[in-house]
Amino acid sequence: MDDITRPMPSPQSLPQSAVTTPQPAKPWYRETNGKIFLGCLGILLLGTIVFGSLIGYYLWQIKYGDREAIEESFRQEKFTLDSRGQLRTPAGVPATDLADLLRPGNPTLGRADATVTVFAFLDFECPFCQESYPAFEYLRAQYEPVVRIVFKHVPLTSIHPQSLKAHEAAACAHEQGAFWPYYAWLFEKKKLDETSLVRAATDTRLNLDTFTACLAAGKYRATIETDLRDAARIGIRGTPTYIVNGKKFEGVVDEKTWDAIMIEALGAVGTSAP
């Protein structure tokens, strides 16, 4: 009969093969399936962050505009689009509306009965309007006997903060019969701060008291707003835009292209180029 009080053998006294040490379970994230899950989750999170950042950027662009980004997107066309789309309306220039575009406050050059009428929708701060200025002067000088130029104020204030004041100053110069010299000064000097606007008035021999009072009062803001409404009504999207006998041209137009445009316009009405 066995003695039940006899002590049991200790683990140390047992053979090594008889001892079983339990292994701790691996954390789930170290398992193969866990690693795959975490990898997929990380990729999804990164994609969400990138997508959210892009959406936020474009929403900011739409709300506030970004001059450099907007101008870069239209650099090949050399055309500045209004960042807030204020001028976007259905495209097209109804012929019945062209006569209504000429307002009493619009500066003009050339004879009223000229064969070709060019409406120039410009912004003094627009870099592409500034770039197009020399070729536009070529148009005026080369085709003066047969062309009439009508200036329309289109300050794109959402991206050109100095433009509105510059257009008001030019309208005040027009009041004294000096719009075109003032216009030339602004495009040639490319300085639109208020000190420069007054300097331009001095250089173009305006009555300074009359000019500064006109500018301070915003006397011609309503005239400029009328031009902006006209631009929206006929589908102008930005600057520079030209309408030549009802045909629209957007962006910088060089001298060679102006020649082609004028030859076509004159040919359509049976008039020879000068």
Side-chain angles (χ1 to χ4, degrees), residues 109-138:
L109 273 177
R111 300 191 332 232
D113 61 348
T115 305
V116 179
T117 298
V118 178
F119 288 92
F121 293 80
L122 303 175
D123 176 341
F124 285 118
E125 196 175 351
C126 164
F128 302 128
C129 294
Q130 294 169 352
E131 183 179 341
S132 69
Y133 167 74
F136 199 58
E137 285 298 286
Y138 163 82

Side-chain angles (χ1 to χ4, degrees), residues 19 38 75 101 128 165 167 183 219 221 235-236 245 266:
V19 179
L38 287 177
R75 195 164 299 281
L101 289 180
F128 302 128
K165 207 67 176 177
H167 281 270
Y183 150 98
K219 185 174 180 179
R221 184 164 298 186
I236 300 300
N245 280 7
L266 293 169

Side-chain angles (χ1 to χ4, degrees), residues 198-248:
V198 175
R199 173 64 184 274
T202 301
D203 290 351
T204 53
R205 303 182 183 279
L206 300 181
N207 181 303
L208 282 185
D209 291 338
T210 302
F211 173 83
T212 53
C214 173
L215 187 59
K219 185 174 180 179
Y220 291 100
R221 184 164 298 186
T223 297
I224 294 166
E225 290 173 352
T226 297
D227 279 354
L228 285 167
R229 285 194 295 271
D230 285 342
R233 178 168 56 87
I234 63 171
I236 300 300
R237 301 186 306 145
T239 57
T241 297
Y242 307 97
I243 298 176
V244 183
N245 280 7
K247 190 171 182 179
K248 185 192 300 182

Side-chain angles (χ1 to χ4, degrees), residues 16 30 34 64 112-113 183 195-196 202 226 252 262 273:
Q16 187 66 30
R30 290 188 178 179
Y64 297 106
D113 61 348
Y183 150 98
T195 300
S196 296
T202 301
T226 297
V252 174
M262 292 299 296

Side-chain angles (χ1 to χ4, degrees), residues 23-43:
Q23 296 295 322
K26 290 183 179 180
W28 67 269
Y29 53 82
R30 290 188 178 179
E31 298 287 346
T32 301
N33 289 340
K35 291 179 180 178
I36 293 173
F37 173 76
L38 287 177
C40 294
L41 185 63
I43 292 172

